[in-house]
Amino acid sequence: MTLPTEQEQMAALRAAYPTPDDLVSRMYRELDAFEAVIRAAAPHWNTVQPGREWTPAQELEHAIIINEGTGRLVRLLRSDKEIRQPPQVPGEYRSGKRQAPATTIPAGDQTPEQLLERHAATRDLLAVAAPADPGRTFYHPFMGQLDALDWLRMAAYQTRHHRQAVERGLAALSGSKDMR
């Protein structure tokens, strides 16, 4: 299996979310859908999803951890504060799938209400119009140097990805074909 290059992945993200305004609009819709999935997941909260390694509680918490970090990072990139780059350590893949960095591994011990609260706190950080600014970037372990706009594109994509994974897991756990 040949994995797409950073450039191919970035081109796909930019095509999916072409402008800052489009991204804000779609981010709001995605955050709303994510909230609905947190609520829908309660009956199977601590059950490992078929074909996945995590429970809905873990999967949703992981996405929120990433969104919290991305929100703080976007705020920094949009400011005039100094940016200290992390070590540029590439992310790891297993069986063609990105592996969660250690700092984003969920405990899975929070209730739906606790995750709803954390999720609500990320909305204003993620649903912002950020212009492209190649002069202010921060290293992403799978995508290289990204500016605030590209970090927001990644957040929209990963929120959607994990939401859909939980939707599929919940559908399988409840015996239905699809949650949508």
Side-chain angles (χ1 to χ4, degrees):
M1 168 190 257
T2 303
L3 298 172
T5 66
E6 288 177 6
Q7 292 79 15
E8 291 167 333
Q9 292 175 70
M10 206 63 250
L13 279 176
R14 288 175 178 156
Y17 307 101
T19 68
D21 290 339
D22 177 64
L23 177 58
V24 169
S25 171
R26 294 192 51 206
M27 181 69 83
Y28 274 121
R29 287 194 308 268
E30 194 52 57
L31 294 171
D32 288 344
F34 190 85
E35 178 179 330
V37 169
I38 294 172
R39 294 179 192 288
H44 299 288
W45 196 246
N46 292 307
T47 305
V48 175
Q49 302 171 95
R52 306 288 288 174
E53 296 178 11
W54 287 344
T55 67
Q58 291 170 305
E59 186 109 22
L60 295 164
E61 181 185 358
H62 166 74
I64 290 170
I65 290 168
I66 291 172
N67 284 349
E68 289 167 338
T70 299
R72 288 188 300 271
L73 183 56
V74 165
R75 184 174 277 175
L76 170 66
L77 290 169
R78 294 178 70 218
S79 76
D80 59 359
K81 294 179 183 173
E82 179 185 355
I83 300 170
R84 292 187 304 262
Q85 292 292 329
Q88 294 192 13
V89 178
E92 295 181 28
Y93 287 88
R94 184 172 65 206
S95 301
K97 293 183 178 180
R98 292 178 179 180
Q99 297 303 293
T103 58
T104 68
I105 302 286
D109 61 355
Q110 296 201 326
T111 66
E113 293 75 22
Q114 289 170 311
L115 288 189
L116 284 166
E117 199 173 296
R118 287 175 67 186
H119 173 65
T122 66
R123 290 182 74 84
D124 290 340
L125 296 174
L126 295 175
V128 296
D133 185 354
R136 289 193 57 85
T137 63
F138 194 84
Y139 181 75
H140 185 284
F142 294 100
M143 303 294 291
Q145 293 292 332
L146 301 180
D147 66 9
L149 177 57
D150 288 337
W151 274 99
L152 290 168
R153 286 176 169 130
M154 284 295 303
Y157 170 81
Q158 77 89 26
T159 301
R160 180 175 180 262
H161 167 77
H162 289 292
R163 175 188 53 81
Q164 290 177 334
V166 172
E167 287 175 340
R168 287 188 302 272
L170 294 176
L173 289 169
S174 66
S176 67
K177 286 190 175 211
D178 198 347
M179 289 283 297
R180 291 170 274 170

